[in-house]
Amino acid sequence: MIHQRQCPIETIIHVLGGKWKPQILWHLIDSTKRFSDLEKLIPNASQKMLTQHLRNLEQEGIIERKIYPTVPPKVEYSLSDYGKTLLPVAEVMCAWGENHNKQEIREPAS
Amino acid sequence: MIHQRQCPIETIIHVLGGKWKPQILWHLIDSTKRFSDLEKLIPNASQKMLTQHLRNLEQEGIIERKIYPTVPPKVEYSLSDYGKTLLPVAEVMCAWGENHNKQEIREPAS
DNA sequence: CGGGATCCATTAGGATACTG
DNA sequence: CAGTATCCTAATGGATCCCG
């Protein structure tokens, strides 16, 4: 699964490029969330995909997963310090994307 | 195909997120290229995917396609002015990606 | 509660052949 | 030269059931 990417842009696209990853990160910005919280916040994501994306983000070091060995189990996800280095980048990406969404309805150049 | 994206990050990932799109853009930064040039520059991309990604980027307004009605045909691709607004964003993404590639071999935190 | 396992649908990407 | 068209495989995402 880990292969060399010729352009580092592909790296960040790979890290962020899962259908629900941006939303997951978005919800973790301000506070730690439990698995069930994320399920409620992102209701269209299936359990499987939520789990899978959370695992991916964890492997990349972006988020942290804390397990409380209680019954019933409790698992908390949070943005790691390293993950926070993504935020400024995400902001720039967001700004361009937001503008692009507006541009999409512009008239074609003559 | 056009659907609302809840987070604008998804927009830019959608625009850049094709296997060969970053490379296409990279090669168009400094100069206009013909289709056959891009084929040589990105030899692993199939004709089909190259065409498909070029069409996508054109539809998004990122690149321009100029057809010379000669025989044999000649088609030139170039970055549009609007496409150039992506460059600073791409740079930031690149920088993070580059650093991330180094981090990947770091030892896990204790 | 927070998953794992399994099976299915959709999409992305690739190989090859053909054409104006 | 710059593609289309067709067929195929791989990867992603989703639905459902089960379990400690």
Side-chain angles (χ1 to χ4, degrees):
Chain A
M1 187 65 172
I2 293 178
H3 54 287
Q4 284 306 99
R5 268 172 281 275
Q6 339 196 9
C7 176
I9 284 197
E10 297 170 16
T11 303
I12 196 171
I13 290 180
H14 177 80
V15 169
L16 293 177
K19 188 160 175 182
W20 313 104
K21 285 182 190 174
Q23 289 189 65
I24 293 173
L25 293 177
W26 174 256
H27 289 300
L28 293 183
I29 288 180
D30 28 287
S31 71
T32 289
K33 296 278 189 308
R34 295 185 59 169
F35 186 82
S36 51
D37 293 333
L38 291 171
E39 275 190 300
K40 282 163 206 156
L41 289 165
I42 316 175
N44 291 331
S46 66
Q47 269 187 340
K48 177 190 156 186
M49 289 317 300
L50 207 50
T51 304
Q52 194 174 110
H53 286 163
L54 286 165
R55 293 288 177 282
N56 289 162
L57 291 168
E58 190 192 358
Q59 277 172 34
E60 302 285 357
I62 311 295
I63 64 174
E64 273 158 15
R65 178 166 177 254
K66 181 159 187 189
I67 307 171
Y68 296 85
T70 60
V71 179
K74 174 177 170 180
V75 179
E76 279 184 350
Y77 293 94
S78 59
L79 215 54
S80 69
D81 285 341
Y82 176 61
K84 286 172 188 165
T85 64
L86 253 178
L87 297 183
V89 184
E91 246 180 272
V92 175
M93 292 170 67
C94 252
W96 191 92
E98 227 168 280
N99 183 61
H100 186 67
N101 288 339
K102 290 178 204 156
Q103 303 289 322
E104 259 180 270
I105 28 176
R106 76 177 180 274
E107 50 236 304
S110 62
Chain B
M1 188 63 171
I2 293 178
H3 56 286
Q4 285 305 97
R5 268 170 281 273
Q6 337 198 10
C7 177
I9 285 197
E10 297 169 17
T11 303
I12 195 170
I13 289 178
H14 177 79
V15 169
L16 293 177
K19 189 160 174 184
W20 311 104
K21 285 182 190 172
Q23 288 188 65
I24 291 173
L25 294 177
W26 174 255
H27 289 301
L28 292 182
I29 289 179
D30 29 289
S31 70
T32 289
K33 296 278 190 307
R34 297 184 59 169
F35 186 82
S36 51
D37 293 334
L38 291 170
E39 275 191 299
K40 282 163 208 155
L41 289 164
I42 315 174
N44 290 331
S46 66
Q47 268 188 339
K48 177 189 157 187
M49 290 316 301
L50 206 50
T51 303
Q52 194 175 112
H53 286 164
L54 286 166
R55 292 287 177 283
N56 289 162
L57 292 168
E58 190 193 358
Q59 276 173 36
E60 302 285 358
I62 312 295
I63 63 174
E64 275 157 13
R65 178 166 176 253
K66 181 159 188 190
I67 308 173
Y68 296 85
T70 60
V71 180
K74 174 176 169 181
V75 178
E76 280 185 349
Y77 293 94
S78 59
L79 214 56
S80 70
D81 285 342
Y82 175 61
K84 287 173 188 165
T85 66
L86 254 176
L87 296 183
V89 184
E91 245 180 274
V92 175
M93 293 171 68
C94 250
W96 191 91
E98 227 169 280
N99 182 60
H100 186 66
N101 287 339
K102 290 178 204 157
Q103 303 289 321
E104 260 180 87
I105 27 175
R106 73 178 182 274
E107 52 237 303
S110 64

